């Protein structure tokens, strides 16, 4: 089951995740460009996954943003 790109805001932290990345960081600009492209591909990505099971971290999040996966 493919996970989503939902933001929790403060996942296990007392500091908002948006506050951890400075306003002029290049990743913010890259994300503005990449997110629409990933949104267009979302249906195709979802079709590759089963409807049963535990949701995963979306693979584009793992690859692009370096989010660690438990499936190593």
């Amino acid at each position: 089951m493919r996970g989503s790109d939902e933001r929790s805001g403060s996942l296990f932290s007392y500091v908002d995740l948006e506050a951890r990345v400075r306003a002029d960081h290049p990743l913010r600009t890259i994300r503005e460009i990449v997110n629409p492209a990933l949104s267009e591909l979302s249906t195709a990505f979802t079709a590759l996954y089963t409807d049963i099971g535990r949701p995963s971290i979306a693979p584009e999040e793992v690859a692009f943003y370096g989010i660690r996966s438990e499936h190593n």
Side-chain angles (χ1 to χ4, degrees):
M1 177 179 280
R2 181 171 173 260
S4 64
D5 182 21
E6 295 177 17
R7 304 249 172 251
S8 65
S10 61
L11 184 64
F12 305 113
S13 177
Y14 295 105
V15 178
D16 182 34
L17 293 176
E18 289 295 316
R20 292 183 179 267
V21 179
R22 65 181 201 265
D24 64 339
H25 194 284
L27 188 56
R28 290 189 180 271
T29 303
I30 293 168
R31 188 165 179 90
E32 288 177 17
I33 296 167
V34 170
N35 275 352
L38 291 176
S39 291
E40 288 182 26
L41 294 169
S42 183
T43 303
F45 290 152
T46 300
L48 299 172
Y49 286 79
T50 181
D51 291 332
I52 59 173
R54 184 179 69 142
S56 67
I57 297 173
E60 63 273 16
E61 295 289 319
V62 175
F64 189 77
Y65 297 110
I67 296 172
R68 294 184 58 116
S69 173
E70 296 176 3
H71 302 354
N72 289 334

